[in-house]
Structures are given as C-alpha cells and as structure tokens.
Amino acid sequence: MTVLRGTALSAPTADEVIEAALSAPRDYPGPDRRRYLYAAARQMIQVRLPVVAAQVEAAPVGPERASRERAVDEAEAIMRDGLSPSCLAASLTLSALGRALLDLDRFAGGDR
C-alpha cells in the first residue's frame, strides 16, 4: 500500500509512515500530506518514547543503553520542532521524524 495517497485512508503502519517521511525530501509532498505525515509520525513517536525511556532506565551502562538514550534524546529534540510552511523545511523535518521513529521503533518492538 502506498501510504497517504488518496482520500480514503486506513491507519498506516509505522513502516509506511517511516518510508513516507524519509522520502519526503525527495518527493516534496503537498501541504495536506505533510500535515498528515507530521501528525502520524509524532503520534507514533509519542507512543514509543516512554517504552524506550523505560528501557534506558532499566539497562546497565553500556552501548545498548547509550543507543537507546541517544534515540530518546533525538526524538525529543525533533518533537520540539513545528512544521514549517516551507515545503523544503517541512520535508526535512518529516525526514528527521522518520529517522527518530525508525530508531524508536527498533527498540520498542514496532507495531507487532
């Protein structure tokens, strides 16, 4: 399924949102699609953030903890950004959200 291309939309999976967000700087989605992707990615990140943050707290000091901690920090940083009216800036923000979601999704177990 090509995510978010049409009027009747089913709930996208994390993989679909990640793919669409990461390709935004190449595809330059229209304003409605940008807003939808932005909201979907943020919602999915908000679900995964507490899961991965809890993993950080429970993990012993080491590379696994550091990877999760970096993913949480990067997701929190990008979540502070709004969606610019500029197509290029918004597409770059979407791509950053996609990368943050991808990292969190790997640690949180995704939609499974």
Side-chain angles (χ1 to χ4, degrees):
M1 172 171 121
T2 302
V3 70
L4 311 173
R5 292 192 199 274
T7 54
L9 303 174
S10 60
T13 66
D15 289 340
E16 291 169 332
V17 171
I18 290 165
E19 179 184 337
L22 290 176
S23 67
R26 181 188 64 236
D27 296 343
Y28 287 122
D32 290 341
R33 185 164 185 230
R34 286 192 308 259
R35 283 189 296 272
Y36 186 88
L37 270 175
Y38 178 77
R42 287 179 59 89
Q43 178 185 21
M44 290 178 179
I45 288 171
Q46 288 172 338
V47 168
R48 287 156 178 80
L49 263 174
V51 173
V52 179
Q55 291 174 355
V56 169
E57 295 302 316
V61 175
E64 286 298 313
R65 179 183 177 130
S67 295
R68 285 170 170 75
E69 196 168 37
R70 187 184 73 249
V72 167
D73 290 346
E74 290 174 1
E76 288 174 343
I78 194 62
M79 292 285 282
R80 289 190 286 270
D81 289 347
L83 193 62
S84 171
S86 159
C87 184
L88 175 59
S91 293
L92 292 173
T93 297
L94 288 172
S95 182
L97 283 168
R99 284 189 307 276
L101 178 56
L102 177 63
D103 288 343
L104 292 175
D105 197 58
R106 287 178 180 154
F107 294 125
D111 291 329
R112 300 154 216 29

